[in-house]
Amino acid sequence: MSALPKAGRVIDRKSGVAVWRQIADELRAAINGGEFGGEGKLPGEMALAERFGVNRHTVRAAIAALASEGVVEASPGRGTRIIRNMRLKVPISRRTRFSSGLSDQATRLEMSFVSSTLAPAATDVCEALNLENGSTCLVLETVSLVDGIPVSVGRHHFPTPRFGEIDLHFRRERSITKAFRACGVEDYVRASTEITARHADEDERRWLKLAPGAIVLETLAVNNDLQGNAIQFSKTRFASDRVSLRVGFEG
Amino acid sequence: MSALPKAGRVIDRKSGVAVWRQIADELRAAINGGEFGGEGKLPGEMALAERFGVNRHTVRAAIAALASEGVVEASPGRGTRIIRNMRLKVPISRRTRFSSGLSDQATRLEMSFVSSTLAPAATDVCEALNLENGSTCLVLETVSLVDGIPVSVGRHHFPTPRFGEIDLHFRRERSITKAFRACGVEDYVRASTEITARHADEDERRWLKLAPGAIVLETLAVNNDLQGNAIQFSKTRFASDRVSLRVGFEG
DNA sequence: TTCCTTTGTCTATTTATATAGACATTTAAA
DNA sequence: TTTAAATGTCTATATAAATAGACAAAGGAA
């Protein structure tokens, strides 16, 4: 829609967002978009300052933020190298489990246990799971790491008494699919998923090691067993600059 | 995960995001989450200042930002009323068209024409549509309005020569489904969708009337005709605080 | 080596953000 | 009408962000 080439200044100075942070976000997006992929390093600070129409020191602040995220590494004389530039494609389809669709994109996949609680579920959870209002659910909280980098935090609700001890199985197996199997559920399918985006809150920033102001993609999903009973309600929040959600309808 | 009640201060002062903007985003999220739904108005400025641990003037800056977005309206003596608090649920399923899944949530649905262009398509578009690299596509740009509020901007690619004049049909019908029908496509299905989130750029802010720093949900979708030929590649960007994407697998 | 480029560090100045307090204005309720 | 509670508007001050310039230090290439 814009007639200008992308060299123009895309900085908004009345937004309540510091210029260095806007530049850091632009650069992160450009890196993830592969703009500097060939060389593997950023243009010089002076060149970036000219490109964004700001002072060199402002660019330095942006680069410092990216360096503290582990995205780039600067060294005098050599320039600023790009460390991480891939965005994981997370499949969202009728039958995808966490690990199966990712194994070709990463070498090390973990789903770690954070906590588990037995508590009455909120109204929306009960509705999603077709439970009577106030029913007790087992709530399991997890963090998923890909090659050691946290990509998502999940809060999973399971109806009791059927899955009242699924957390024990999960802690042993580190897999929800296997934990289900240990509870007698051979297979399950995704019934629905709702996706929103917003700024990460304090807890999400801590678990996902996100910079303040970062964005999370939140998915609300319901899984059914093969008899059509709702067996899991999950709220998963992905670090949006590390993933893209890939929705497929083939399965 | 946090043990504190939500009254605690969630403001990050080294984030590069102004405190008033953080508060505005928190309040918008709280409004959309229905926290003040019962009364239909915000707590007083002093109460909010105490809740966030900031000065009253900082809260005022946040409320001014929300007022300019049309989310709230303040008047002396009466307080700050909430104007808009609903988040549209946009269905993403195998067979959903823009208007069909939304008609029960809004009274007025429009899809307006912005521009159309005939041009060689980029590599990723050609791949998605199974075209030879550099093939010419018809590019249609649209804005979708729900009850007069813009919720998404779309850029749709159609292969030529088959759909070289679909823009004319769209301008007459204001519906992609009907425009397809005029081109001899009786029905079509969603083949894949990829979803990401990021900050809105200048053009998106203008078309969607978004505040600086706002978030958009971006979907990349491919539609096939019933013979399995890719006939449409669409990039749609939704104002994230006005919608949630509802993925369903029933159809 | 020498030269040039690149990042790192310092000082200084200007502008934007945030806090603090005082007081006016509007509205609804006692 | 009186009172209380709410937003609106001003002044003043402290802190953070951004700009500007100068020079040091490290790395790569001729």
Side-chain angles (χ1 to χ4, degrees):
Chain A
M1 300 185 188
S2 168
L4 287 166
K6 67 174 7 179
R9 38 206 74 166
V10 288
I11 302 304
D12 193 320
R13 280 166 193 278
K14 308 172 224 179
S15 60
V17 181
V19 175
W20 62 264
R21 170 141 296 286
Q22 296 184 53
I23 291 175
D25 293 341
E26 282 283 327
L27 286 176
R28 197 195 300 102
I31 289 169
N32 288 334
E35 186 169 335
F36 314 115
E39 310 110 61
K41 53 178 271 189
L42 252 51
E45 292 171 351
M46 290 297 277
L48 288 173
E50 194 172 4
R51 164 169 164 176
F52 289 109
V54 299
N55 191 272
R56 177 179 155 235
H57 293 85
T58 311
V59 169
R60 283 181 59 72
I63 289 175
L66 293 178
S68 82
E69 287 179 44
V71 177
V72 299
E73 191 177 51
S75 39
R78 284 202 299 181
T80 306
R81 298 193 312 273
I82 293 166
I83 305 294
R84 175 172 53 74
N85 67 346
M86 63 171 198
R87 194 189 276 242
L88 207 69
K89 289 185 182 173
V90 177
I92 305 253
S93 61
R94 192 166 182 80
R95 292 198 67 257
T96 310
R97 289 93 186 82
F98 171 71
S99 59
S100 60
L102 267 52
S103 47
D104 54 335
Q105 299 179 59
T107 56
R108 203 152 47 86
L109 298 164
E110 304 162 65
M111 197 163 185
S112 66
F113 175 88
V114 172
S115 72
S116 65
T117 320
L118 268 171
T123 312
D124 56 336
V125 176
C126 291
E127 276 179 17
L129 290 175
N130 279 318
L131 297 175
E132 219 171 42
N133 219 318
S135 300
T136 296
C137 280
L138 186 126
V139 182
L140 173 67
E141 299 201 271
T142 62
V143 172
S144 298
L145 302 123
V146 173
D147 292 335
I149 300 170
V151 297
S152 70
V153 293
R155 178 184 299 224
H156 314 277
H157 293 254
F158 304 94
T160 57
R162 190 175 176 195
F163 303 105
E165 293 185 342
I166 197 171
D167 54 329
L168 305 178
H169 299 297
F170 178 83
R171 294 191 76 162
R172 198 174 54 244
E173 305 277 8
R174 291 288 159 92
S175 155
I176 287 180
T177 303
K178 289 178 184 170
F180 266 139
R181 206 161 291 158
C183 293
V185 177
E186 276 308 309
D187 203 358
Y188 59 100
V189 294
R190 185 184 291 264
S192 74
T193 304
E194 189 164 326
I195 301 169
T196 55
R198 55 178 169 73
H199 288 108
D201 69 25
E202 213 173 11
D203 284 315
E204 289 153 2
R205 287 207 305 268
R206 192 170 71 245
W207 287 106
L208 297 175
K209 294 179 185 162
L210 290 174
I215 300 171
V216 291
L217 276 163
E218 178 177 273
T219 64
L220 302 178
V222 176
N223 285 333
N224 288 0
D225 66 13
L226 297 186
Q227 286 74 49
N229 306 307
I231 58 173
Q232 179 186 9
F233 175 86
S234 293
K235 176 165 85 169
T236 309
R237 288 139 293 169
F238 296 87
S240 80
D241 60 341
R242 294 171 201 162
V243 303
S244 79
L245 306 184
R246 194 154 183 22
V247 181
F249 297 98
E250 50 301 310
Chain B
M1 301 186 188
S2 168
L4 287 164
K6 67 177 1 179
R9 41 207 72 166
V10 289
I11 303 303
D12 192 321
R13 282 167 192 275
K14 307 172 224 180
S15 60
V17 180
V19 175
W20 63 263
R21 171 140 295 286
Q22 295 184 53
I23 291 175
D25 293 340
E26 283 284 326
L27 286 176
R28 196 194 301 102
I31 289 169
N32 288 333
E35 184 168 336
F36 314 114
E39 311 108 63
K41 55 177 268 192
L42 252 51
E45 292 171 351
M46 290 298 275
L48 289 173
E50 194 172 4
R51 162 168 165 176
F52 289 109
V54 300
N55 190 273
R56 176 178 157 237
H57 294 86
T58 310
V59 169
R60 283 181 59 72
I63 289 175
L66 292 177
S68 82
E69 285 179 46
V71 176
V72 299
E73 190 176 51
S75 39
R78 284 203 297 182
T80 306
R81 297 194 312 271
I82 294 167
I83 305 296
R84 175 174 52 73
N85 67 346
M86 63 172 196
R87 198 187 275 241
L88 205 70
K89 289 185 183 174
V90 176
I92 304 253
S93 61
R94 191 168 183 80
R95 291 199 68 257
T96 310
R97 289 92 187 82
F98 171 71
S99 60
S100 60
L102 266 51
S103 48
D104 54 336
Q105 300 180 57
T107 56
R108 201 151 50 85
L109 298 166
E110 304 162 65
M111 196 165 186
S112 68
F113 174 88
V114 173
S115 71
S116 64
T117 320
L118 267 172
T123 311
D124 56 334
V125 175
C126 291
E127 275 180 19
L129 290 175
N130 277 319
L131 298 175
E132 219 171 46
N133 220 317
S135 300
T136 296
C137 279
L138 187 126
V139 183
L140 173 67
E141 299 201 90
T142 63
V143 173
S144 298
L145 302 123
V146 173
D147 292 335
I149 299 170
V151 296
S152 70
V153 293
R155 179 183 298 222
H156 314 277
H157 293 255
F158 304 93
T160 58
R162 190 175 176 195
F163 302 107
E165 292 184 340
I166 198 172
D167 55 328
L168 305 177
H169 299 298
F170 178 84
R171 294 191 76 163
R172 196 174 56 244
E173 305 277 9
R174 292 288 158 93
S175 153
I176 288 180
T177 302
K178 289 178 183 169
F180 266 139
R181 205 161 290 156
C183 292
V185 176
E186 276 309 307
D187 203 359
Y188 60 99
V189 294
R190 185 183 290 263
S192 73
T193 303
E194 188 164 327
I195 301 169
T196 55
R198 55 176 170 75
H199 289 108
D201 67 26
E202 214 172 10
D203 284 315
E204 288 153 4
R205 288 207 305 269
R206 192 170 71 242
W207 286 107
L208 297 175
K209 294 178 185 163
L210 291 174
I215 300 173
V216 291
L217 275 163
E218 179 177 271
T219 65
L220 303 179
V222 176
N223 285 333
N224 288 359
D225 66 14
L226 297 186
Q227 286 72 50
N229 305 306
I231 58 174
Q232 180 186 10
F233 176 85
S234 293
K235 176 166 86 172
T236 309
R237 287 138 295 169
F238 296 87
S240 80
D241 59 341
R242 295 174 199 159
V243 303
S244 77
L245 306 184
R246 197 155 188 355
V247 181
F249 298 97
E250 52 299 330

